[in-house]
Amino acid sequence: MSGFVGKTSSNQSLTIPRSGFWPSIDIDDFRKKMRVLDSVENEQAEMALMSALDSTIYELASFEENHSEYDHLEDVPSKEIAGRSRYVYNFERAVYAEAKAQLLEEFFDIDLTRKAGEDRAATGIPKVAELRKESYAAIQTFFNESAIFVELV
């Protein structure tokens, strides 16, 4: 008898419930969109997503305050992207990018884009910076600002 026997995933489907104004987050959706392997347990992914939610919601506090007449982010009038609210899309984008950046800081081997023989530690740090930049850019869309900030000294 020969063959390869892999470890089956013990991760169950999990949703982080809505935080008042802000939408819920589906961990399976996060895993698919951000290419997070099953070797990262749900508890680890949930912790990274909760931390990312906290920082993103903090950054968007003034947006929520300016739109306090709406119960949920989905209710705030916005342009749509593929049938979804631009705000919901960018909120998810910001949270997912920040959560993956946090996971990459802990687990350099979760990124599937690595080429064979590439040093995971050396390629992980630039990827973290790119993900944080992506999160920042998504947050800036809420304020109709450019993601580029330049200060003349």
Side-chain angles (χ1 to χ4, degrees), residues 18-24 57 60-61 63-76 87-88 91 142:
R18 171 178 293 284
S19 296
F21 180 76
W22 305 103
S24 58
I57 289 170
L60 294 172
F63 178 86
E64 180 180 6
E65 191 175 295
N66 292 338
H67 296 85
S68 60
E69 68 271 22
Y70 299 100
D71 291 332
H72 305 298
L73 180 62
E74 297 91 322
D75 300 334
V76 177
Y87 292 133
V88 173
F91 176 75
F142 282 81

Side-chain angles (χ1 to χ4, degrees), residues 90-153:
N90 281 298
F91 176 75
E92 182 180 278
R93 185 176 142 219
V95 170
Y96 285 9
E98 176 61 28
K100 177 134 184 209
Q102 289 181 23
L103 286 172
L104 278 175
E105 287 175 332
E106 294 291 322
F107 310 101
F108 284 115
D109 61 344
I110 66 165
D111 189 7
L112 295 177
T113 59
R114 183 179 74 84
K115 294 182 177 79
E118 228 174 6
D119 180 14
R120 291 177 177 160
T123 60
I125 299 303
K127 183 74 172 176
V128 168
E130 289 170 24
L131 287 163
R132 292 248 158 79
K133 184 173 76 171
E134 176 76 13
S135 180
Y136 176 77
I139 289 169
Q140 293 311 303
T141 64
F142 282 81
F143 304 107
N144 294 318
E145 294 179 7
S146 170
I148 299 172
F149 178 76
V150 178
E151 183 175 330
L152 297 175
V153 181

